[in-house]
Amino acid sequence: FREMAQPIISQHQWQRQDLGAVMTVLAVAVISLQSVLPDADWPGHILLARHSIDAQDLLNKFLTEIRSRVLDILEDRRIEGVQVCLLLCCYYMFHSSPNMAWTTCGMAFRAAYALNLQETSTLSQPSVANETRSRCWNQIIISDTFCSILYGRPASLPSANVRHLQLVDDLAIDHSLLNDLSVDNSDGLTSRAPFHVLKTDVYAIAREILIRFRRLDLTSGIEEQDLEAIIRITEESNALLTDWWKSVPKLYDFDYWKADGRWEMIEGQLQRLPSEARQQVETIYL
């Protein structure tokens, strides 16, 4: 994304073939601006003020531009159409309009199916393109399930096969970092990729649980056989979640870090680390 964004940002005008890339950059800018607007210490406020630009007005203009072009992006049938819709879904879900969040999620799902993102790549060697497809598909599982939980509507996906991540250099944890912080139970992990896969896994389980409960026809009241089905689904769901929990490594176990003063010890060590390493530790903790 960074390699794609840099030349886009440095140009004064774009060609039609750049539309997907431009809209993706604007969508990321919308999420970013929304995140920093309440932060009075963000240095970008000074830069915008120097050019007499209001940050909220700029965000609104970006949104207007994206909305006016989103159908064109979808017509191009490129991965950027999926990405833009997912980013719009995140923005509307948490900051603006539940109805628009639901709609843009649906657009992302349809665009993903048009690109066969649900299909696992047959290539033996990982590539940036395939990794991007995998990450987009996993995010669709998360967004679809989250929307279903949040709005009480049926999940859109007919299947939820979680894609495993292969190209994980951008998620790598510095090898010396875990040693410096005395993390003796990291289970050999040197990447944050397993966290993202595990997160998608638990959303896929939640999605299956919701689907199974919705199959019960309780509109005419609850009979004895319905109660038995509810108990059975609950027990099986609990078993699925228990098995998932057993697969979570200690590095991503919040209870592990809170126990025995581990995080307090690491907080003391954080101040001695370079800013990049400190940010990695804080990201893992988050």
Side-chain angles (χ1 to χ4, degrees), residues 2-207:
R2 292 178 186 274
E3 289 176 358
M4 176 269 289
Q6 200 56 52
I8 289 294
I9 293 172
S10 63
Q11 294 177 41
H12 294 288
Q13 59 183 13
W14 304 284
Q15 304 298 319
R16 171 62 179 83
Q17 61 264 27
D18 299 324
L19 182 62
V22 173
M23 292 302 111
T24 307
V25 171
L26 290 187
V28 171
V30 166
I31 297 289
S32 304
L33 271 172
Q34 181 66 41
S35 300
V36 297
L37 277 176
D39 182 5
D41 295 328
W42 179 55
H45 287 303
I46 298 173
L47 177 64
L48 293 176
R50 192 182 304 154
H51 295 278
S52 302
I53 297 174
D54 179 79
Q56 184 63 57
D57 183 55
L58 182 63
L59 187 155
N60 293 336
K61 287 179 177 177
F62 284 167
L63 269 177
T64 300
E65 187 67 23
I66 296 169
R67 290 177 60 150
S68 70
R69 304 288 187 179
V70 70
L71 294 181
D72 293 326
I73 306 170
L74 294 174
E75 188 177 29
D76 290 345
R77 292 190 64 222
R78 295 175 55 179
I79 192 71
E80 289 88 350
V82 180
Q83 293 171 321
V84 169
C85 289
L86 283 173
L87 289 164
L88 283 176
C89 172
C90 288
Y91 172 78
Y92 286 123
M93 187 184 301
F94 296 111
H95 304 294
S96 183
S97 167
N99 286 331
M100 283 299 297
W102 180 260
T103 300
T104 49
C105 271
M107 294 164 69
F109 308 150
R110 292 285 187 177
Y113 280 125
L115 295 173
N116 290 320
L117 293 196
Q118 74 278 10
E119 299 291 337
T120 304
S121 172
T122 57
L123 298 176
S124 57
Q125 295 297 320
S127 69
V128 172
N130 284 332
E131 184 69 5
T132 301
R133 290 168 64 89
S134 295
R135 295 185 187 193
C136 283
W137 179 250
N138 285 358
Q139 181 59 36
I140 283 173
I141 294 174
I142 292 170
S143 296
D144 182 41
T145 308
F146 188 82
C147 282
S148 182
I149 294 170
L150 194 63
Y151 306 131
R153 299 172 181 175
S156 302
L157 296 177
S159 63
N161 298 320
V162 178
R163 301 275 290 271
H164 290 282
L165 307 183
Q166 293 180 304
L167 196 71
V168 293
D169 56 322
D170 61 318
L171 298 175
I173 301 170
D174 190 295
H175 285 272
S176 62
L177 188 60
L178 299 177
N179 294 329
D180 291 343
L181 293 173
S182 306
V183 182
D184 54 358
N185 280 296
S186 63
D187 301 315
L189 291 177
T190 57
S191 170
R192 300 195 307 275
F195 168 83
H196 295 284
V197 174
L198 283 163
K199 182 176 71 170
T200 311
D201 281 337
V202 79
Y203 271 96
I205 293 170
R207 176 186 169 282

Side-chain angles (χ1 to χ4, degrees), residues 212-213 215-237:
R212 294 191 64 181
F213 274 115
R215 286 174 182 157
L216 299 175
D217 184 10
L218 305 177
T219 54
S220 57
I222 299 178
E223 304 293 336
E224 183 176 346
Q225 61 268 27
D226 296 323
L227 287 173
E228 292 175 353
I230 290 171
I231 292 171
R232 185 174 64 255
I233 293 172
T234 302
E235 290 175 343
E236 292 171 355
S237 301

